[in-house]
Amino acid sequence: MKNDKKVNERALSEVKKIKKRTFCSILGICLLIVIVIGGKVYMDNKRFKDEMLNVVNSGQAKQVYEKTLKNADSKALTSEGIIKSYKVDYDSVEHNPMGGIMLKLIINDDNQLYIRVTLDQEENGRLTNSSGGGSLPLEDMLEKGNMNND
């Protein structure tokens, strides 16, 4: 009787060990799957972001920025213009769900003055600004500047 009880305890102990190993194995496999999928998603997002930054930094994009600035201020990027300088706000670069790349151009090193640009690629491969607009303070400055020139 005592031997049967010991055998039963030993068998029960073995079953618990097997259950624990099985649980740890399943947990390890699940963790590995999550790490692999998470790494793949991270790398895909990083590659996509790098491609967008390459487009944002391209010479063709720079032409689009300057044309957009000239449309807002005909004397932009000259000593007579209201818009004297610009820089790309790289933190604002993001994919537009409707297509294209959205970003902000910071004007005259003032974060309150900016123009939103949506870079879009035409069928022939040229980049264009498909939408956007200026911040309210910039629009006010441009409007007052245009009034003074009239």
Side-chain angles (χ1 to χ4, degrees):
M1 191 78 157
K2 232 180 182 181
N3 264 347
D4 285 344
K5 192 174 181 181
K6 275 189 175 182
V7 169
N8 281 344
E9 284 179 10
R10 197 175 281 165
L12 192 60
S13 174
E14 285 296 319
V15 169
K16 283 183 180 179
K17 283 181 183 177
I18 291 171
K19 280 184 177 179
K20 189 175 181 179
R21 280 189 214 144
T22 304
F23 176 75
C24 288
S25 297
I26 290 172
L27 186 65
I29 289 170
C30 289
L31 191 62
L32 185 66
I33 289 171
V34 168
I35 289 171
V36 168
I37 290 173
K40 171 84 172 122
V41 168
Y42 173 78
M43 292 305 293
D44 286 349
N45 285 339
K46 183 171 177 12
R47 188 177 320 126
F48 187 67
K49 182 82 174 184
D50 288 345
E51 286 176 21
M52 286 195 311
L53 290 177
N54 283 339
V55 172
V56 166
N57 287 325
S58 69
Q60 198 175 19
K62 187 175 178 182
Q63 291 175 350
V64 171
Y65 304 150
E66 291 177 1
K67 183 177 178 185
T68 300
L69 296 174
K70 293 276 185 190
N71 284 340
D73 177 10
S74 60
K75 296 177 182 172
L77 306 175
T78 65
S79 59
E80 299 169 358
I82 293 171
I83 299 174
K84 299 196 182 318
S85 66
Y86 75 94
K87 66 180 180 181
V88 175
D89 180 8
Y90 291 103
D91 293 333
S92 69
V93 174
E94 59 184 289
H95 178 254
N96 184 340
M98 299 299 287
I101 301 169
M102 301 182 305
L103 59 109
K104 282 191 328 190
L105 299 176
I106 304 293
I107 307 300
N108 301 340
D109 271 337
D110 184 348
N111 287 336
Q112 299 294 318
L113 305 177
Y114 61 84
I115 293 180
R116 290 194 177 277
V117 174
T118 302
L119 289 175
D120 207 1
Q121 194 169 28
E122 294 179 341
E123 289 178 12
N124 61 9
R126 286 190 55 197
L127 289 176
T128 61
N129 180 10
S130 62
S131 66
S135 64
L136 191 57
L138 179 64
E139 294 293 334
D140 288 343
M141 284 177 66
L142 291 171
E143 191 172 308
K144 288 176 187 172
N146 287 337
M147 286 176 155
N148 291 338
N149 290 338
D150 290 339

